[in-house]
Amino acid sequence: MKDIRSFSFLILLLILFTPVIGQNDSNVDLPNIIFIMADDLGWGELNSYGNNFNETPNLNKLASQGMRFTHAYAAAPVCSPTRASIVTGQYPARVGITDFLAPRSEVYLKPEEHVTINEALSQAGYHTGIIGKWHLDTHFGNIQGGPRDHHFDEVIGSETKYIAGGDYFFPYDKAATLNEKGEEGEFLTDRLVDEAIDFIERNKEQPFFLYLSHYSVHTILDAPENLVIKYKKKFNDKYGDGMAEKLYDGQKRGRHLANHIDNPYLAAMLERIDAGVGEIMEKLESTGLTENTVLIFFSDNGGAPNSGNNSYLRGFKTLLYEGGIREPLIIRWPGKVKPGLVTHEPVSSIDFYPTFLQLAQVSHGEQKLDGISLLPLLTEQKSPETRPLYWHYPSETANAKNKMSSAIKEGSYKLIEFYIDGRKELYNLEADPGETNNLIEQMP
């Protein structure tokens, strides 16, 4: 009888101390997750999306080894709300962050209200880190809204001042914590990649989640001089001697002043992002982590007006036309995701959170998620059930007539409502991907 009581007590202890949020009890098979995000990179900037001016050989290789998405959407046409959707798995309207956060904004991502993706992954045994831009708090330590307050295990190179306007060369003014290791002439993108390489090396013996959040290619555009010279020559060969200097130098450096979409400054910045992707792929190979690492590349919103390339898509950053919200997305997981796949299934930035949870074999507890896991699509090419996607962007910034709007996409149709004048626009994206033919009168 005594032995039975002891055994029962042992069983009770095991029950009491078993994790309750669907936590995986073994992290042996958990894949590492590296999520790389560019800032303001348009849908038409990568070679694999049709660009023939920029040079992105490593991202080309990544696409050839994984799945490339042609209809991947940011949940907002600007950075902060998209970033909120990624780390919470919720639409920006649910989070309460629907526009970019200005300096010392009263709005920020509140730790007491959200379990961010890194926190959820920590429950499954992941070591988590963010390297680079956060932009979900603009008080920089004066409130509880930064990445440390959301319990990333490592926070490296996140902004210490409001980052808009650029800060791309050492010594860094707006990412000042990086100055301890930096050196004269160092380019910010390269420093972030070096930190990512070190992060992988430090954590190669345990499952990790790395959120590498680049500041490039946000304006004001700037890049190492040798690369700018390279792409200016390429631009001049294409458009005529002296055209790059005429169109891109001076006060508005890096902004289009003519009716074309090639940009030597942006191309130079993108080359360093691409090189960083290559270095990370090489590091995974040398450490034997390639097969057990999910590697993702994404952008937070469409290319900026007057500097980005959104291909034939209408609009740009800040607008709910396709050019403002459709993004390049590539996902590689060797042995699980077949190489060279291209999918036209519509997916959204709200989908990363539930996808990462399924990879980690952990549930989301009580937190409401708006996205779906993409794992069946990635590993089985199983199309998700048809669902609408939503955008809500009540911005009051300049040119509000076209910016204060909401949109619904269901199937091939997208409906946009503009709040200033009440007009509505309806497009069949399958027949009219450039959104040139408003069907609202024909199909009220």
Side-chain angles (χ1 to χ4, degrees):
M1 182 65 70
K2 182 178 179 181
D3 289 341
I4 292 174
R5 285 198 300 268
S6 299
F7 181 76
S8 300
F9 181 69
L10 177 60
I11 294 297
L12 178 61
L13 286 176
L14 287 172
I15 293 171
L16 287 174
F17 288 96
T18 296
V20 294
I21 312 182
Q23 182 172 328
N24 188 305
D25 60 0
S26 171
N27 53 28
V28 173
D29 297 320
L30 295 179
N32 306 306
I33 303 169
I34 301 178
F35 184 79
I36 304 174
M37 188 158 70
D39 192 343
D40 289 4
L41 186 69
W43 189 78
E45 300 287 8
L46 306 185
N47 300 154
S48 56
Y49 286 82
N51 191 290
N52 59 12
F53 180 78
N54 302 333
E55 299 177 16
T56 57
N58 294 294
L59 285 163
N60 298 347
K61 181 178 179 181
L62 189 69
S64 72
Q65 295 176 347
M67 180 178 285
R68 182 172 67 86
F69 293 72
T70 64
H71 290 72
Y73 290 95
V78 290
C79 54
S80 297
T82 297
R83 292 165 191 273
S85 75
I86 291 168
V87 300
T88 66
Q90 299 178 335
Y91 279 115
R94 189 186 300 280
V95 178
I97 298 176
T98 56
D99 203 355
F100 73 93
L101 299 187
R104 302 189 65 80
S105 172
E106 294 181 3
V107 178
Y108 61 95
L109 190 67
K110 296 178 174 61
E112 66 274 15
E113 295 182 8
H114 303 282
V115 178
T116 49
I117 184 59
N118 58 289
E119 293 176 291
L121 292 175
S122 292
Q123 297 168 7
Y126 278 76
H127 183 82
T128 67
I130 179 173
I131 298 176
K133 186 175 180 178
W134 174 243
H135 205 173
L136 291 172
D137 151 46
T138 54
H139 289 258
F140 312 113
N142 294 321
I143 59 172
Q144 298 296 303
R148 293 189 189 280
D149 303 312
H150 287 276
H151 306 296
F152 276 93
D153 294 318
E154 297 188 41
V155 178
I156 302 169
S158 290
E159 58 269 38
T160 52
K161 291 182 181 178
Y162 198 67
I163 196 68
D167 179 22
Y168 290 115
F169 287 96
F170 179 88
Y172 308 109
D173 177 54
K174 298 164 186 171
T177 55
L178 293 172
N179 287 331
E180 296 177 5
K181 295 184 180 179
E183 57 186 35
E184 197 65 35
E186 179 182 83
F187 188 51
L188 177 58
T189 299
D190 297 339
R191 165 52 53 195
L192 296 182
V193 171
D194 287 348
E195 297 292 345
I197 298 298
D198 290 345
F199 179 94
I200 294 169
E201 178 62 33
R202 283 196 305 276
N203 297 291
K204 62 186 178 182
E205 302 298 333
Q206 61 182 332
F208 62 80
F209 167 63
L210 172 58
Y211 177 18
L212 174 55
S213 180
H214 283 296
Y215 296 99
S216 289
V217 295
H218 194 288
T219 56
I220 299 173
L221 303 181
D222 207 355
E225 184 178 5
N226 65 315
L227 292 179
V228 173
I229 291 172
K230 167 187 170 179
Y231 284 102
K232 280 183 177 179
K233 182 180 185 304
K234 193 171 183 179
F235 189 92
N236 288 336
D237 289 343
K238 185 173 181 178
Y239 295 103
D241 288 345
M243 289 299 292
E245 292 75 14
K246 178 181 178 180
L247 296 175
Y248 288 105
D249 290 353
Q251 187 176 2
K252 294 187 176 181
R253 180 186 62 215
R255 291 186 175 272
H256 298 316
L257 298 178
N259 186 27
H260 58 76
I261 51 179
D262 296 327
N263 188 317
Y265 281 91
L266 191 148
M269 296 175 84
L270 179 56
E271 180 168 322
R272 295 317 305 157
I273 291 176
D274 181 82
V277 171
E279 291 177 40
I280 289 170
M281 292 167 73
E282 289 176 4
K283 183 63 177 179
L284 293 175
E285 189 67 30
S286 67
T287 51
L289 298 177
T290 297
E291 298 293 322
N292 199 41
T293 300
V294 183
L295 183 57
I296 302 106
F297 183 84
F298 190 60
S299 176
D300 62 345
N301 49 249
N306 302 317
S307 63
N309 179 346
N310 298 309
S311 188
Y312 55 79
L313 302 180
R314 181 177 179 180
F316 39 76
K317 175 183 178 180
T318 73
L319 300 180
L320 291 183
Y321 295 117
E322 293 291 283
I325 55 176
R326 203 193 294 188
E327 315 304 330
L329 171 62
I330 303 169
I331 301 179
R332 185 190 78 167
W333 189 13
K336 303 295 193 301
V337 177
K338 292 180 180 178
L341 293 175
V342 177
T343 180
H344 307 298
E345 296 290 342
V347 301
S348 170
S349 55
I350 58 174
D351 297 331
F352 293 123
Y353 193 116
T355 302
F356 296 168
L357 289 188
Q358 189 173 4
L359 286 168
Q361 303 171 41
V362 63
S363 73
H364 56 83
E366 297 181 357
Q367 178 151 307
K368 168 69 177 178
L369 297 184
D370 293 313
I372 62 171
S373 173
L374 302 179
L375 205 54
L377 175 62
L378 289 166
T379 59
E380 305 171 46
Q381 295 86 64
K382 184 178 179 181
S383 297
E385 291 185 15
T386 301
R387 55 170 173 156
L389 295 176
Y390 302 95
W391 293 265
H392 182 56
Y393 185 52
S395 173
E396 297 180 357
T397 54
N399 191 24
K401 180 178 179 180
N402 286 324
K403 294 181 179 179
M404 291 188 69
S405 56
S406 294
I408 304 172
K409 180 186 182 299
E410 189 165 12
S412 61
Y413 287 94
K414 187 169 88 176
L415 176 69
I416 311 174
E417 179 179 8
F418 296 88
Y419 295 126
I420 295 296
D421 56 11
R423 78 185 189 278
K424 298 180 179 67
E425 298 179 6
L426 176 68
Y427 299 101
N428 182 340
L429 295 178
E430 184 175 354
D432 178 26
E435 296 172 292
T436 59
N437 183 24
N438 183 7
L439 301 173
I440 199 66
E441 296 298 331
Q442 299 167 241
M443 304 176 67

